[in-house]
Amino acid sequence: VAALFGIDLGGTNTKVGLVGPKGIINLASIPTRVDLGPQAWLERLIKCTGSLLNQAGIDPSGMQGAGIDSPGGLDPERTKIVFAPNLKTFNGYPLRDSVEKALSLPTVLENDANAYAYGEFYFGAGKGCHDLICITLGTGVGGGIIINQEIVTGPMGIGGELGHITVEPDGRVCGCGNQGCIESYASATGFRGMLAEALKAGRQTSLKAGDDVKEMAGAAGAGDKVALEMFDKAAVALGRGVASMVVATGIDLYVVGAGISRSFEPLMKKAFEKELKKRLCMADPALIRVVTSTLGNKAAVMGAAAWAARCLKLNWQLDITD
Ligand SMILES: [Zn+2]
């Protein structure tokens, strides 16, 4: 069996998958326990990969490598996390080399949104395409650009940070320090901020302080004006962002993933399409396909492994038409 480990490191849990060219063979999850530090995490990881192999009846000698993905900023060489607010004890830790040593397997590290994009490209909504852009609408807004089957990050390693495209020059302040990023509106953080502002302004709404995007989606579905406005703002931000991405890259396929993407079809698509049509004049907006993720929360673990297979030149057979 040709297989790799896919390791999706998150602030709370780490998903560990045994991934082959056709998809996930076996999947498990371990608590990350940031408070206990990366060394204790590595020990849990070793146990977990061992039992995954056992359960699948795969000989460890058949394993070809490991792909790991993590949130936050990575160094351009992809050896460590430079800054991830939810992974404090991992910041600066030599993550790639430590995993490589612990598992005795060649290991590739990539940003989580890039891994997500590659997963959708290889196994999911982009299967059969050469190019796509993936936008994850979660706590923040992540992005991944795949061009000619490669993750594009540029010499600075930050390419694909699509959540921080400016869509409202004087808009809401973003966690990155800029104003009016896509993330300022189309993320859970953005939604919570917009709700707090509406409540402070004394707007009439069924929502209350501390409500999450799920409650906001419910309220919008029931016709709550404030909730509907927030989804509209998020959709417009996304429409402006995608219009810019189209002219910057010429890519026609956009995959929307993570939590808020569940609200894309019912609550955002109409306003999104209207804004895209308004902003995109260099190309026919009807040529732009926007679809929701097909792999969901497995996209990153699958993409981390498939990307590692590509970086390690393992020659997985890609199912690309033409
Ligand atoms: Zn930003």
Side-chain angles (χ1 to χ4, degrees):
V1 179
L4 288 92
F5 290 114
I7 303 161
D8 178 30
L9 171 61
T12 310
N13 291 304
T14 301
K15 279 193 212 60
V16 188
L18 204 51
V19 184
K22 293 202 160 32
I24 288 186
I25 299 164
N26 216 344
L27 187 68
S29 175
I30 54 170
T32 302
R33 290 299 303 267
V34 177
D35 55 327
L36 300 178
Q39 208 56 44
W41 172 81
L42 262 186
E43 281 157 29
R44 282 193 296 285
L45 178 68
I46 293 168
K47 273 194 199 139
C48 180
T49 52
S51 60
L52 278 174
L53 287 173
N54 262 337
Q55 286 160 18
I58 292 176
D59 192 276
S61 64
M63 292 306 292
Q64 299 176 300
I68 174 164
D69 72 88
S70 115
L74 309 177
D75 61 332
E77 295 77 27
R78 300 311 199 230
T79 66
K80 62 183 176 200
I81 301 167
V82 176
F83 180 68
N86 295 328
L87 288 167
K88 282 214 168 74
T89 56
F90 286 73
N91 290 350
Y93 177 76
L95 186 60
R96 186 197 63 191
D97 294 352
S98 303
V99 171
E100 187 161 295
K101 213 173 141 200
L103 302 181
S104 303
L105 289 170
T107 299
V108 172
L109 172 67
E110 191 43 75
N111 164 275
D112 59 353
N114 287 335
Y116 194 110
Y118 201 78
E120 287 293 340
F121 154 75
Y122 198 98
F123 295 110
K127 207 174 167 187
C129 298
H130 284 90
D131 317 281
L132 66 77
I133 281 180
C134 186
I135 307 157
T136 56
L137 311 177
T139 309
V141 173
I145 304 172
I146 311 288
I147 293 180
N148 201 15
Q149 307 178 44
E150 298 271 355
I151 296 173
V152 177
T153 56
M156 299 172 76
I158 60 158
E161 285 289 354
L162 305 172
H164 303 288
I165 290 176
T166 305
V167 289
E168 195 79 72
D170 304 308
R172 307 192 61 251
V173 174
C174 179
C176 75
N178 182 30
Q179 269 179 286
C181 292
I182 298 176
E183 181 168 306
S184 312
Y185 304 93
S187 69
T189 311
F191 272 89
R192 279 195 289 267
M194 288 190 285
L195 175 60
E197 286 156 18
L199 291 173
K200 203 176 160 203
R203 301 276 312 272
Q204 271 305 326
T205 173
S206 61
L207 293 165
K208 52 195 185 313
D211 276 351
D212 221 326
V213 180
K214 211 175 149 193
E215 280 96 44
M216 298 180 207
D224 186 282
K225 253 187 136 176
V226 167
L228 282 166
E229 255 177 52
M230 293 194 295
F231 281 98
D232 244 34
K233 277 189 180 161
V236 167
L238 208 57
R240 288 178 184 167
V242 168
S244 297
M245 296 173 210
V246 173
V247 291
T249 64
I251 289 177
D252 59 357
L253 176 60
Y254 295 78
V255 182
V256 187
I260 298 171
S261 70
R262 280 191 284 271
S263 299
F264 183 75
E265 290 276 344
L267 293 172
M268 295 165 68
K269 200 170 183 187
K270 243 179 152 174
F272 167 84
E273 282 176 345
K274 193 175 161 203
E275 189 66 19
L276 183 66
K277 210 169 163 187
K278 185 172 153 192
R279 298 285 164 187
L280 185 60
C281 303
M282 297 295 294
D284 180 358
L287 297 176
I288 308 304
R289 286 182 297 148
V290 183
V291 297
T292 44
S293 145
T294 60
L295 304 177
N297 62 11
K298 294 188 185 88
V301 81
M302 295 172 83
W307 177 240
R310 180 171 179 87
C311 295
L312 299 170
K313 302 197 176 5
L314 297 180
N315 258 333
W316 279 13
Q317 286 305 308
L318 242 194
D319 199 13
I320 286 184
T321 44
D322 79 324

